[in-house]
Amino acid sequence: MAWPPAGEIGFAMVCDMLRLPILALVVAAPVFATGAEPVARVTTDSPDYCRELAQRLAPMPGARTEPARSLAEDGLRLCENGNPRSGVARLRRAIRAARLEH
């Protein structure tokens, strides 16, 4: 196995060292743009989050049309039967469908 010339190793190390500051700037850009830290939104696959999604869906005009209505019913049923992860996924799909209907 032959080692690459020393100049190539040095160039690769410099490129790797430059990537970290660039990544840090990309991640921190929202903070610099607004002057405040972004608010982290924590969601969990729990019955409480299922209810929150259902409450968010209820006032939407497209919530009573298909496929949003049946997706929401399935999502709530899954949450009540101990499958909150699947229920949350269905409720999120219902919200997207309701937005598209409007």
Side-chain angles (χ1 to χ4, degrees):
M1 180 171 155
W3 291 93
E8 289 180 23
I9 293 173
F11 180 73
M13 288 176 62
V14 169
C15 287
D16 288 342
M17 289 169 48
L18 289 175
R19 286 185 189 142
L20 184 60
I22 292 170
L23 177 64
L25 285 174
V26 169
V27 171
V31 174
F32 293 131
T34 63
E37 289 188 35
V39 177
R41 184 162 180 221
V42 178
T43 60
T44 59
D45 298 330
S46 68
D48 289 335
Y49 188 55
C50 287
R51 284 187 286 277
E52 180 184 330
L53 290 174
Q55 289 173 350
R56 197 180 310 169
L57 175 67
M60 294 180 155
R64 290 172 179 70
T65 61
E66 289 300 327
R69 186 183 59 78
S70 59
L71 286 168
E73 288 174 358
D74 288 345
L76 288 171
R77 182 182 45 78
L78 286 164
C79 288
E80 289 170 4
N81 291 332
N83 297 302
R85 188 173 192 162
S86 298
V88 164
R90 294 275 168 85
L91 286 164
R92 286 179 176 164
R93 285 179 54 199
I95 289 172
R96 282 194 302 271
R99 285 182 183 155
L100 290 175
E101 289 295 319
H102 181 56

